[in-house]
Structure formats: C-alpha cells, structure tokens
Amino acid sequence: PGDSRATPNEYYVTMIQHVRHHWPNADVHLWSSINSYSAEMEAGKFHWKTEDFDVFRQMDVTVHLDGPSLLDCWVHMARADVFISSLSSFSAVPELMNANCVIYPHNLDWPRKEWVDGRKQETQPPDSPKLKTCLEMSSHVKSLNSAA
C-alpha cells in the first residue's frame, strides 16, 4: 500500500495459488522489505509494516523481511524451482540465473520464451499449457522424473 512501484499482493496470491494447484505442498518463500528507500527513511516515511504480509503467512508462505544479506535471497531466487519475480530491477539477476520456471510480471523486454508472463497468467486457469510447461522445466519435476 502507498507505493505505486510495488507489485500488488493480489498478483502474488494468484500466482502462488496457480503453482499450488500443481504442487499443493510447495514450500513458498517471499523476500521483501518494510524499509523505504533511504531518503524516505530519513524523512520517516514508510510504506509497509510486517502485518501487510500476513496474507502470505496465512497461505503458509515463509516471509523474509529485511534479511541481513541480499546475496542470500538472490541465491534462493536463482535456484528456486519456481521464481515468481517482481517489477523491481532487483529481480533481474535471479531471473536470468534461474534455469527453472520463471514467472515475471509483464515488464520485461527480453523474457526467455519459456518464461510465463504472470499478468497474462492471472487471467488464465491454473492448468494453462504455458504454466504447465514452465513447471515441468523445474529441477523438482526433473528429479522426480529421473527417479521414476
């Protein structure tokens, strides 16, 4: 709330629901910050509070706020079986490094053809062919298939 640069929670809720349609027990993690940008912090302006993420906690999502290491969250994002990215440029590095399924919010000029445009996926059923194909690329599914 309050920051037009932020991707709405509803987008993430829908994408998590779509992924869990296929993987009901998916271990979902969310990284974010309740701190504003430095100039806004100095002025005492904050857009979020930890309660703003309760909708995700209620969905059994592990919420990581203002962690000690940006590298740690990048590593998790880059290695995620499914990476639901945000509009922020902070997501660009893990998007490019992730060899699994990437769901991005329609803001890229250079998405890989196998990535899912999340804004389009929001209006599709959870079992849309594009999402199913993306999920099948994930290392989680590959490891299940190779064990069979």
Side-chain angles (χ1 to χ4, degrees):
D3 189 343
S4 62
R5 298 169 291 189
T7 305
N9 283 356
E10 294 77 17
Y11 167 79
Y12 295 108
V13 167
T14 300
M15 293 303 99
I16 292 167
Q17 289 170 337
H18 282 212
V19 170
R20 284 193 169 153
H21 173 81
H22 299 275
W23 298 342
N25 298 318
D27 182 21
V28 179
H29 290 253
L30 177 148
W31 277 266
S32 192
S33 175
I34 57 173
N35 292 324
S36 298
Y37 300 92
S38 14
E40 292 177 339
M41 284 177 53
E42 289 174 16
K45 183 176 183 179
F46 296 89
H47 295 285
W48 303 279
K49 50 193 178 305
T50 188
E51 296 83 22
D52 294 328
F53 297 88
D54 284 349
V55 64
F56 300 106
R57 292 182 185 99
Q58 292 165 3
M59 295 176 70
D60 198 28
V61 171
T62 303
V63 176
H64 306 267
L65 298 175
D66 299 304
S69 168
L70 296 178
L71 183 60
D72 183 51
C73 71
W74 262 4
V75 168
H76 279 84
M77 292 172 183
R79 296 182 51 103
D81 291 318
V82 180
F83 176 36
I84 304 170
S85 69
S86 73
L87 288 170
S88 81
S89 56
F90 186 76
S91 294
V93 170
E95 281 171 340
L96 292 171
M97 294 181 71
N98 190 302
N100 297 308
C101 180
V102 173
I103 302 172
Y104 68 99
H106 191 72
N107 63 319
L108 300 178
D109 294 329
W110 39 264
R112 294 182 182 157
K113 66 179 178 356
E114 62 271 13
W115 291 359
V116 172
D117 181 330
R119 290 293 186 198
K120 290 180 182 175
Q121 180 61 39
E122 277 185 298
T123 63
Q124 300 296 313
D127 58 351
S128 71
K130 180 78 174 181
L131 180 61
K132 286 172 73 172
T133 300
C134 189
L135 293 172
E136 288 168 359
M137 291 177 34
S138 127
S139 58
H140 171 75
V141 171
K142 290 176 189 172
S143 68
L144 292 176
N145 290 340
S146 65

